[in-house]
Amino acid sequence: MLGLMQDWPLLLHRIIDHAAIHHGTRPVITRSVEGPIVETNYAQIRARALKVAQRLERDGVTLGDRVATLAWNTWRHLECWYGILGVGAIYHTVNPRLFPDQIAWIINHAEDKVMMLDITFVPLMEKLADRLPSIERYIVLTDAAHMPQTTLKNAVSYEEWLAQADGDFAWKQFDENTAAGMCYTSGTTGEPKGVVYSHRSNTLHAFMAALPDSKNLRATDVCLPVVPFFHANGWSLAFSTPMVGAALVLPGARMDGASIYELLDKYKVSFTAAVPTVWLMLLQDLEKTGAKLPYLKRVVIGGSACPRAMTKAFEDNYGVEVIHAWGMTEMSPLGSLCTMKPEYAQLTGEARLDIQQKQGHPPFGVEMKITDDDGKALPWDGKTFGRLKVRGPAVAKAYFKNKDNILDKEGFFDTGDVATIDQYGYMQVTDRAKDVIKSGGEWISSIDLENLAVGHPKVAEAAVIGVTHPKWDERPLLIIVLKKGETATKDDILGFMQGKIARWWLPDDVVFVEDIPHTATGKIQKTTLRKQFRDYRLPT
Ligand code: AMP
């Protein structure tokens, strides 16, 4: 017998409808790419998204077409997402921090039909446009007054283009499994792979993301997504925030510490999210100015492991709760968040920080297991580590235009991460499978060493790679960037680490560098570091 409930497909445009009806006047504030702060609200966002859909349809964009966006977090970008998916097309976020060749490769692979881009990226696209036959039109996200002279095909300013629509348009209706969005994985090895989200997966994922033990979002929150929409589906914030009717503050192109602080303070932001490197900049800026964060309640930190010292600084110095989160593009992206279950809720001080080093427990909708290389499930004892595999309605089952089977026989996707899971279901990432250091048959976690090293007061950033060793196969090399104006020696750093980890985990050498290379999504680029230190010989 089937249930007798209504058929109400989980279509993403219903989220902006809900926000417009029930939270219509809630502010959406942007530091615009042109400079000034622009304020709008969910009712206006919806009205203009309808025009985007209407106007795209007039340009010949229909169900299943890909529309690229190359843009910062702004109200216009948000309108574009809803307009694109509301006509049945697919928003394809392109990461401007990728190499130009990768950008061209991705656009050609996705066969994007239209591109919507910020003025910032017009020069970049002019250089690439000859190689992008599928793009029929470029829509520059600005008004006539700021529209640059450009050779881009059929280029038009967004505001002029939009003004040609009256908004008398109804969202398209289709199956909830229809594709809505697309994001390519950062692809540190091999070619980038296209992850395709559906209306259903993104909607269910937005529910998961907003839950109390996830981001705990509500209508009284003021939410600042520093994480760009082009990183891993924007961590769902373009959906989960309007879903609950929280106000939005969008940083545009400026994500340095001072600019972020200004938004946090001026607009009384209560919730924010980004990768650790962003928070490193903010915390350094706060240290310098002595400013406080009286309005901020929660910060989600993910994308790479959140260093213990960062959690401590936010919580002890600024009274801000840190939610360490883990996920990946293939998971829409949330996989787990480190909020406190009753078993850990009473912990304080260092014991609490120990737990917060973990990436946390999955919300409903993510199933996890750890296995050995043969696929045998390993125990949840917080010590045994194995390959982390996941399954759920917002986890990828295949890549775009790729026939490879990426699931095991139980339907789990191998994340490529190595992790432990403890008795209460808290997962901790030890490493990317390819970054773990294999010393004398045992594994050393590069993440643990990095976290420890950045706890040193003079260290700004740390990376650990395995270097070939004649006796032990590999030994850890610690690469350090010091804070501006600071000096330290190898012995200072190793002395600080001694006693806090097993003796045989202690790096064999420490080298100081000006900076550490990052990927386009802000992760430490270990492949580049390994190349850089290929000829390096350990002193041991
Ligand atoms: P991406 O798809 O670019 O978001 O990359 C996903 C990968 O980032 C994961 O498979 C992890 O290796 C890494 N990652 C994400 N969040 C964390 C975290 N909190 N701690 C450690 N690694 C993380």
Side-chain angles (χ1 to χ4, degrees):
M1 185 168 90
L2 293 178
L4 294 173
M5 306 312 278
Q6 295 182 6
D7 188 15
W8 195 84
L10 301 175
L11 296 177
L12 287 165
H13 28 286
R14 295 197 141 123
I15 294 180
I16 202 68
D17 285 349
H18 175 81
I21 295 165
H22 296 284
H23 310 277
T25 57
R26 200 84 63 243
V28 176
I29 296 163
T30 304
R31 188 196 298 284
S32 67
V33 178
E34 294 87 348
I37 297 286
V38 173
E39 184 166 338
T40 176
N41 60 36
Y42 284 130
Q44 288 176 37
I45 297 267
R46 175 180 181 271
R48 283 166 47 101
L50 279 164
K51 287 188 183 185
V52 172
Q54 185 181 27
R55 197 59 195 77
L56 280 173
E57 186 174 57
R58 201 180 304 162
D59 278 351
V61 173
T62 60
L63 194 72
D65 283 338
R66 273 79 70 196
V67 177
T69 65
L70 189 64
W72 304 111
N73 290 7
T74 70
W75 86 101
R76 288 188 180 122
H77 196 177
L78 189 66
E79 291 165 2
C80 289
W81 270 33
Y82 281 100
I84 294 165
L85 60 84
V87 76
I90 300 162
Y91 64 85
H92 168 206
T93 48
V94 181
N95 185 341
R97 293 176 186 148
L98 293 170
F99 291 117
D101 280 350
Q102 277 177 310
I103 293 181
W105 190 95
I106 282 173
I107 292 171
N108 284 327
H109 190 262
E111 297 174 78
D112 295 323
K113 194 166 180 178
V114 172
M115 170 173 270
M116 305 174 110
L117 71 164
D118 275 327
I119 42 179
T120 328
F121 307 118
V122 169
L124 168 70
M125 291 315 296
E126 283 177 339
K127 288 202 199 93
L128 293 179
D130 282 352
R131 294 157 57 186
L132 308 173
S134 65
I135 299 189
E136 294 171 4
R137 157 158 254 184
Y138 291 85
I139 299 160
V140 183
L141 297 169
T142 191
D143 55 16
H146 294 89
M147 180 67 183
Q149 277 286 348
T150 174
T151 55
L152 289 174
K153 201 194 293 175
N154 293 322
V156 60
S157 85
Y158 176 74
E159 294 297 340
E160 286 174 290
W161 176 81
L162 207 62
Q164 294 162 6
D166 59 13
D168 183 14
F169 186 80
W171 299 124
K172 298 290 175 185
Q173 301 300 320
F174 33 76
D175 188 281
E176 65 181 17
N177 288 300
T178 302
M182 207 164 158
C183 183
Y184 280 72
T185 57
S186 24
T188 43
T189 50
E191 273 153 359
K193 299 187 202 84
V195 178
V196 185
Y197 310 108
S198 69
H199 282 259
R200 173 187 155 85
S201 70
N202 267 343
T203 306
L204 290 174
H205 182 263
F207 280 118
M208 283 157 50
L211 285 173
D213 271 315
S214 294
K215 297 179 188 164
N216 190 14
L217 289 175
R218 54 197 309 177
T220 46
D221 273 317
V222 180
C223 171
L224 170 65
V226 184
V227 55
F229 291 165
F230 56 75
H231 271 192
N233 210 19
W235 295 10
S236 169
L237 288 162
F239 304 121
S240 44
T241 315
M243 178 182 261
V244 302
L248 263 177
V249 180
L250 300 168
R254 282 171 51 186
M255 278 164 281
D256 59 282
S259 302
I260 293 301
Y261 169 74
E262 192 188 336
L263 295 179
L264 290 173
D265 191 63
K266 192 161 173 195
Y267 300 105
K268 300 187 166 58
V269 169
S270 60
F271 172 92
T272 182
V275 295
T277 35
V278 165
W279 303 125
L280 201 67
M281 291 192 288
L282 177 76
L283 290 171
Q284 282 181 6
D285 188 69
L286 294 177
E287 241 176 74
K288 214 167 56 205
T289 60
K292 294 286 170 199
L293 299 169
Y295 311 108
L296 190 61
K297 295 197 184 80
R298 298 182 308 291
V299 55
V300 169
I301 306 182
S304 325
C306 172
R308 188 182 189 99
M310 185 170 279
T311 306
K312 197 168 156 61
F314 266 115
E315 300 209 336
D316 292 359
N317 304 348
Y318 303 101
V320 176
E321 182 192 353
V322 169
I323 303 173
H324 190 189
W326 166 88
M328 54 195 316
T329 307
E330 286 89 336
M331 301 183 72
S332 302
L334 277 182
S336 66
L337 300 102
C338 195
T339 51
M340 295 299 162
K341 296 187 187 182
E343 290 84 353
Y344 289 140
Q346 307 310 319
L347 296 176
T348 56
E350 295 302 318
R352 181 179 152 87
L353 283 170
D354 285 344
I355 304 305
Q356 286 173 303
Q357 293 280 97
K358 299 176 189 267
Q359 279 73 6
H361 52 97
F364 173 70
V366 176
E367 291 179 64
M368 277 184 183
K369 65 177 178 183
I370 42 173
T371 75
D372 63 14
D373 286 344
D374 299 327
K376 193 171 112 295
L378 295 171
W380 291 18
D381 58 12
K383 289 201 235 24
T384 311
F385 41 88
R387 292 177 159 277
L388 178 63
K389 299 181 181 172
V390 292
R391 171 168 91 170
V395 179
K397 65 176 174 191
Y399 293 110
F400 186 55
K401 292 187 188 165
N402 185 324
K403 295 212 158 45
D404 293 349
N405 173 32
I406 58 169
L407 308 182
D408 72 8
K409 47 182 193 307
E410 291 175 323
F412 280 79
F413 167 77
D414 188 337
T415 64
D417 287 332
V418 174
T420 61
I421 303 181
D422 76 9
Q423 58 177 325
Y424 302 124
Y426 282 64
M427 183 275 289
Q428 182 160 13
V429 176
T430 348
D431 247 315
R432 286 297 290 168
K434 57 186 183 311
D435 293 339
V436 76
I437 297 154
K438 293 170 188 116
S439 172
E442 300 287 342
W443 288 10
I444 298 176
S445 156
S446 65
I447 294 184
D448 280 4
L449 294 180
E450 288 157 6
N451 278 341
L452 183 56
V454 280
H456 190 289
K458 293 182 175 174
V459 172
E461 205 178 8
V464 173
I465 53 168
V467 179
T468 322
H469 189 282
K471 180 167 175 201
W472 302 110
D473 291 338
E474 272 185 346
R475 288 295 302 156
L477 168 68
L478 173 58
I479 301 157
I480 294 259
V481 181
L482 290 171
K483 288 186 183 163
K484 274 207 179 63
E486 298 288 1
T487 52
T489 63
K490 168 180 167 180
D491 289 344
D492 292 339
I493 306 290
L494 293 181
F496 171 81
M497 296 173 81
Q498 215 143 24
K500 299 187 177 96
I501 39 167
R503 263 228 328 247
W504 63 277
W505 276 43
L506 210 62
D508 284 30
D509 200 10
V510 182
V511 293
F512 296 91
V513 295
E514 283 298 309
D515 50 14
I516 285 175
H518 290 99
T519 67
T521 49
K523 296 183 212 310
I524 294 175
Q525 204 158 33
K526 300 250 170 125
T527 43
T528 310
L529 278 179
R530 278 194 281 265
K531 267 191 217 133
Q532 209 172 313
F533 287 91
R534 199 174 26 206
D535 299 326
Y536 170 85
R537 291 284 164 270
L538 286 168
T540 45

